[in-house]
Amino acid sequence: MSLLDALFRDGSLRTVDHALAQALRRLDRDTPDPVLAAAALASQAIARGHAAFDPRRPQLLSEAAVEWPEPEAWLGMLAQSRWVAVPAADAASDAAAPLVLERGLLYLRRYREYERRLAAGLRRLQAFAPPPADLDALAPLFAQLFPHARDDDRQARAAALALLQSLLLATGGPGTGKTTTIARLLVLLIAQARLDGVAPPRIALAAPTGRAAERMAESLRLAAERLRELPGVDAELLAALPQQAGTLHRLLGVVPDRPRFRHDARNPLAFDVVVVDEASMVDLPLMCKLVEAVPDGARLILLGDRDQLPSVEAGDVLAAIVDAAGDDDGLPAAQARALRPLLGDAVPALAAPSALAASRVHLRRGYRQAESLQLAPLAEAVRSGDADTALALLRSGELRGVHFHEDVHDPLAGSGRERLLPAWRAIGEADDPEQALALAARLRLLTALRDGGQGAAPLNARIEEALAGAHRSAYFHGRLLLITENSYRHGLFNGDIGVCLRARAADGREDLAAGTVAWFAGGAQGVRAFHPSALPAHSGAFAMTVHKSQGSEFERVWLQLPRQDARHLSRELVYTGLTRARSELHLAASEAVLRTALSRHAARVSGLAWRLAGQT
């Protein structure tokens, strides 16, 4: 049996992957079977989140009991194939070849081009420095905003760097002050425009999902309110801060039924500053299109946590940029000298850092952690894959607000049921939609899987039956909804949470004839109402996958790991899940599954890091 057929029969390939290989075979009957199998695996790699297929590590895509070709011979066969282009690093690949081989990775041509174009776009942004800032004139305001700037405050360093250049990557875990840094940085840019006698910069705030964008805007508004309490910060500067944020798709402008956006290199965005939160969630194609749409001389600021789960779609862009930038222990000597009016000599000057080193700052202090939640030690152990330390911390019971339910596999059985259901029942007892949505954010059950015994879908069904009975209405009073696709017509986006409540008449009494209304945050009144039948695709939201929870926070989180190991489990998944909690975390898992999860990296095959690092 051929390798291609063996992989297809084993279930390692989708029908579309197999169809690609079959199409190549029909066009050229002499195409060797290993080349056809590699083409199918390159297609399958995209579905698994990789940018390319690595013939040296085929087990990343399939654990089938097959005899894999010897890697070097396989690569040699691919290099000789008419279907495979082998271009120079910076050159566009031949459009006649559907596959590209580069540095031992086999790409579908489109994804190789996304990588190449993204790397070129990031280098373009670095090359176009913004107009020089009068740092001496800004120094008094800078000192007010960052009083510890001369003690190597990473927030101050990030803001100072953004005054000098067009690209900034600010990374850090939850609560390290990313939004606070951005609010103060934007105030500085607005102040600089005033000094230059020009209009304030046009600023766009964006995130991958509607929920993340909403949270970003709210965090920025809160940061601005705190700035009003600082002496020496002009209220007019704060008034010029943006108040709204939107999705990246809305920013770029969706063209119906087309893979392209309205804004691109030929029609760039009309903004001077573009700030993107939750950058770890941005996939390779979307990041490529975003970077190309940022005009020359404008600033692009990316915020994110590289230790969170990578994007659902292909690529791990944030991690690749961080890896290419290297450590942020100091700054290139030229930048260190230029920033002395703001930072003094606090930041070490480096002789030969990477080209991206001056664009990246890793924020390390934790600000968000509530008094009731001592999460940082556990998050660090999980982030580094240290299962021994993580288990010791969990079993000690000494971490405030952290509860370990060892070997608990059903969150709705025993004491777990009484920990969870009362909070969800309270949603239906709320006085108004705003209160109901606020109560909905207090507790979420997060899972690693969508289906299966501990998956989000069956858990939602069980929760809904417990709350409203076996013969419940599809949109019963108090049901939580999760939007699963973007709808620009409705202004609802993947990840948005809503609540179903019985309609009320003008006098406040329930209107039984009107049925149930689905309420979502937003709009002039703070909430918006929709008839459930008019909603875009959605599901229940009492339980969610960790992937769907990215960009959100909840007061209490119950993180349920599966009874047995699953391919999706990784330290990034556990880290992302537990860091959604603001004041209380419940982690339910067995030692074996937790150890396996922390031993596994959610690594993606990609060439972006070496494309960027190769330009040093």
Side-chain angles (χ1 to χ4, degrees):
M1 184 185 297
S2 71
L3 176 60
L4 174 65
D5 291 341
L7 292 171
F8 189 51
R9 289 192 180 186
D10 180 73
S12 298
L13 301 176
R14 301 168 299 164
T15 300
V16 68
D17 308 325
H18 190 253
L20 169 63
Q22 294 288 60
L24 298 181
R25 174 182 281 162
R26 285 193 298 272
L27 291 168
D28 185 350
R29 293 285 180 182
D30 295 328
T31 303
D33 178 68
V35 172
L36 296 174
L41 288 166
S43 175
Q44 170 64 205
I46 302 303
R48 297 284 189 90
H50 303 287
F53 165 58
D54 186 351
R56 297 186 179 92
R57 297 183 292 164
Q59 295 83 3
L60 288 175
L61 297 182
S62 172
E63 297 178 358
V66 298
E67 185 175 345
W68 295 105
E70 192 277 323
E72 295 308 315
W74 203 358
L75 289 167
M77 198 178 298
L78 290 167
Q80 298 301 314
S81 173
R82 63 176 289 191
W83 305 122
V84 181
V86 187
D90 290 332
S93 59
D94 183 358
L99 303 166
V100 180
L101 184 65
E102 192 169 11
R103 290 211 181 185
L105 300 182
L106 184 69
Y107 293 84
L108 295 184
R109 179 182 180 275
R110 179 188 299 177
Y111 285 84
R112 187 267 181 179
E113 288 304 296
Y114 283 140
E115 267 196 11
R116 182 188 66 82
R117 287 161 46 196
L118 174 55
L122 291 171
R123 293 195 295 270
R124 172 183 62 85
L125 290 178
Q126 283 188 298
F128 276 88
D134 187 343
L135 299 187
D136 289 314
L138 285 173
L141 175 60
F142 192 93
Q144 286 294 113
L145 296 172
F146 299 101
H148 304 292
R150 294 176 182 267
D151 299 325
D152 195 18
D153 178 359
R154 295 301 179 95
Q155 292 188 347
R157 188 198 298 188
L161 279 173
L163 295 172
L164 293 185
Q165 57 200 37
S166 294
L167 179 64
L168 176 68
L169 179 65
T171 60
T176 50
K178 296 187 289 292
T179 308
T180 299
T181 303
I182 292 307
R184 299 180 184 217
L185 159 61
L186 295 179
V187 168
L188 288 167
L189 293 178
I190 295 166
Q192 178 188 331
R194 177 189 286 183
L195 288 172
D196 295 339
V198 299
R202 297 164 296 177
I203 302 167
L205 305 178
T209 68
R211 176 62 187 135
E214 178 186 300
R215 191 163 66 86
M216 178 190 193
E218 178 61 24
S219 296
L220 196 67
R221 287 193 290 268
L222 292 174
E225 288 301 317
R226 290 193 292 270
L227 287 176
R228 296 184 193 282
E229 302 171 5
L230 291 180
V233 179
D234 192 330
E236 291 186 8
L237 299 178
L238 300 179
L241 288 171
Q243 298 296 309
Q244 302 296 325
T247 65
L248 285 170
H249 285 80
R250 172 167 281 183
L251 173 70
L252 294 172
V254 172
V255 179
D257 303 319
R258 295 288 184 88
R260 57 178 292 269
F261 291 105
R262 188 166 63 251
H263 292 288
D264 54 20
R266 292 171 296 181
N267 180 30
L269 293 164
F271 290 100
D272 305 300
V273 184
V274 177
V275 184
V276 179
D277 199 10
E278 299 289 352
S280 65
M281 299 171 64
V282 184
D283 59 51
L284 173 62
L286 184 56
M287 187 67 82
C288 173
K289 295 169 185 179
L290 168 67
V291 168
E292 288 184 332
V294 176
D296 293 342
R299 289 176 170 86
L300 175 62
I301 301 171
L302 301 176
L303 311 175
D305 183 353
R306 66 110 2 118
D307 296 310
Q308 284 192 33
L309 281 167
S311 60
V312 175
E313 306 299 331
D316 192 357
V317 175
L318 182 68
I321 299 174
V322 169
D323 291 344
D327 294 332
D328 66 336
D329 295 330
L331 290 175
Q335 277 91 346
R337 287 194 299 272
L339 292 174
R340 279 177 185 160
L342 305 181
L343 305 179
D345 295 318
V347 184
L350 303 178
S354 72
L356 283 169
S359 298
R360 185 229 174 174
V361 177
H362 184 63
L363 307 177
R364 294 176 180 168
R365 285 184 59 194
Y367 294 85
R368 192 184 75 194
Q369 183 171 293
E371 297 253 337
S372 58
L373 181 61
Q374 190 180 5
L375 191 59
L378 177 61
E380 176 58 28
V382 169
R383 186 195 66 79
S384 61
D386 186 348
D388 288 338
T389 298
L391 282 162
L393 288 168
L394 288 166
R395 287 167 171 161
S396 72
E398 295 176 358
L399 297 180
R400 292 189 312 275
V402 176
H403 307 274
F404 185 37
H405 306 280
E406 190 164 5
D407 295 324
V408 170
H409 303 297
D410 185 353
L412 300 178
S415 62
R417 185 180 183 89
E418 295 312 311
R419 289 177 184 271
L420 299 174
L421 291 181
W424 291 323
R425 290 194 183 101
I427 296 171
E429 299 167 1
D431 294 330
D432 54 59
E434 279 191 281
Q435 185 186 34
L437 287 168
L439 289 170
R442 289 188 178 179
L443 171 66
R444 200 56 44 92
L445 171 56
L446 302 182
T447 72
L449 308 173
R450 198 184 81 84
D451 300 307
Q454 289 114 346
L459 284 171
N460 267 315
R462 291 176 59 199
I463 293 166
E464 292 174 3
E465 181 175 349
L467 294 175
H471 304 291
R472 61 193 177 277
S473 164
Y475 300 101
F476 64 85
H477 182 75
R479 187 190 182 201
L480 292 185
L481 300 178
L482 171 69
I483 299 298
T484 56
E485 70 176 16
N486 293 334
S487 174
Y488 293 90
R489 181 168 64 89
H490 295 84
L492 294 173
F493 302 96
N494 190 358
D496 284 357
I497 301 293
V499 60
C500 295
L501 298 175
R502 284 188 287 269
R504 292 180 180 272
D507 60 5
R509 290 184 294 181
E510 291 183 1
D511 184 350
L512 299 179
T516 303
V517 175
W519 294 89
F520 290 81
Q525 305 301 318
V527 290
R528 296 170 294 157
F530 298 87
H531 192 281
S533 64
L535 293 173
H538 55 277
S539 65
F542 296 103
M544 296 168 60
T545 63
V546 173
H547 270 100
K548 287 291 187 183
S549 75
Q550 285 184 271
S552 298
E553 297 174 355
F554 311 100
E555 290 300 316
R556 292 193 291 146
V557 164
W558 181 295
L559 176 58
Q560 181 71 53
L561 298 190
R563 184 186 301 271
Q564 296 177 326
D565 182 31
R567 179 171 55 85
H568 301 291
L569 282 179
S570 65
R571 68 183 66 167
E572 288 82 3
L573 183 142
V574 178
Y575 174 86
T576 302
L578 64 89
T579 54
R580 299 309 90 203
R582 291 182 63 89
S583 61
E584 186 174 310
L585 169 71
H586 295 263
L587 174 59
S590 67
E591 175 180 345
V593 166
L594 185 59
R595 283 189 179 277
T596 301
L598 298 194
S599 70
R600 185 182 289 134
H601 248 313
R604 298 282 178 85
V605 174
S606 166
L608 182 59
W610 56 254
R611 286 183 202 281
L612 293 169
Q615 303 305 314
T616 57

